[in-house]
Amino acid sequence: MDWLNVIIMGIGLAMDCCAVSAVQGLNARQWNPLALLMALIFGCFHMGMPIIGYYAGSLFVDFMRVYAPWIALVLLGFLGGKMIWESYHEDKEAEKKANWQVSNLLLLAVATSVDVLATGLLFVPYPDWLFPSVVTIGAITALFSLGGYLVGVFVGKLKINMELIGGLVLIGLGIKIWAEGFLCL
C-alpha cells in the first residue's frame, strides 16, 4: 500500500458522489451553503464505510458483495424516479431547487457509499494504513462532491429541464453500480 494507491482509490470511490452532487447543483442552479454540508456528509460516509468493512470482516463483505449493488439500485432508482416525476408534476416556479433535506442527503450518502464497505478489506494486510487512508478518501470525496456541485450549478443555468436529466443520471448511476456488482459476482 502506498499514497498513490490511496489517492487513486479515493478518486475512484468519489466519482459516484461527484455525479450525485452535480445533480444537486443542476437542480439548485445557484450556490447554496448547504452544498458544504452535503460534501461533508458524503466525505464522512466514505470515511466510515471502509472502517466498518475492515472491522466487520469477510462474512459481512460477502453479504455486501451480493446486496450492495441492489441497495444502490433501489435507492438511486427511487430518488431518480421521484425527480423525473417531479420534473413533470411539480409547480416549476414553487421550488425548482435541489432537495436539501438532511434525510435526502443521508439517503444519497448511503446509496453512493454502500459499495465502499468492501474496500475496508483491502486494509486488512495493512492496518497502519486504515485511518490515514480513510481520512484521505473522505477528503477527496468531499472535494469532488463540492466540485461536482459547482459544475452542476454552472450547467444548470442553461435553463434546461435539469430535474429530468438529473433523475435519469441517478437512475443510470444506480444501474451502473448494480451492473458492476452483478457482473463481479
Side-chain angles (χ1 to χ4, degrees):
M1 184 71 57
D2 60 39
W3 281 111
L4 181 61
N5 288 337
V6 171
I7 291 169
I8 290 170
M9 183 187 330
I11 291 170
L13 293 173
M15 288 299 121
D16 292 349
C17 291
C18 182
V20 169
S21 298
V23 169
Q24 285 287 94
L26 288 170
N27 290 323
R29 300 182 187 191
Q30 64 183 4
W31 168 251
N32 188 323
L34 291 173
L36 295 171
L37 175 64
M38 177 182 63
L40 179 66
I41 289 172
F42 287 177
C44 287
F45 268 76
H46 269 61
M47 282 185 349
M49 290 297 193
I51 294 171
I52 293 169
Y54 175 82
Y55 287 110
S58 63
L59 178 64
F60 188 67
V61 172
D62 290 340
F63 172 83
M64 289 310 297
R65 185 180 303 126
V66 173
Y67 293 107
W70 290 99
I71 294 168
L73 176 66
V74 169
L75 291 176
L76 291 172
F78 170 76
L79 292 170
K82 182 175 179 261
M83 285 178 68
I84 291 169
W85 187 86
E86 288 175 353
S87 75
Y88 290 110
H89 294 92
E90 294 288 315
D91 179 13
K92 300 290 184 207
E93 301 302 318
E95 184 168 346
K96 184 67 170 153
K97 297 190 187 291
N99 185 345
W100 292 109
Q101 293 176 343
V102 173
S103 61
N104 185 63
L105 295 178
L106 291 173
L107 190 61
L108 289 170
V110 169
T112 56
S113 66
V114 72
D115 58 334
V116 179
L117 273 170
T119 62
L121 273 186
L122 297 174
F123 297 103
V124 170
Y126 311 102
D128 293 342
W129 279 91
L130 177 65
F131 289 103
S133 297
V134 297
V135 169
T136 303
I137 290 167
I140 289 170
T141 300
L143 289 173
F144 272 63
S145 297
L146 193 56
Y149 176 80
L150 294 172
V151 168
V153 166
F154 176 75
V155 173
K157 293 182 180 185
L158 299 176
K159 305 290 184 201
I160 301 170
N161 187 348
M162 291 300 174
E163 195 165 28
L164 171 65
I165 294 170
L168 293 171
V169 166
L170 288 182
I171 291 171
L173 187 58
I175 291 169
K176 174 192 153 289
I177 292 170
W178 174 81
E180 287 173 349
F182 186 72
L183 295 174
C184 290
L185 295 177

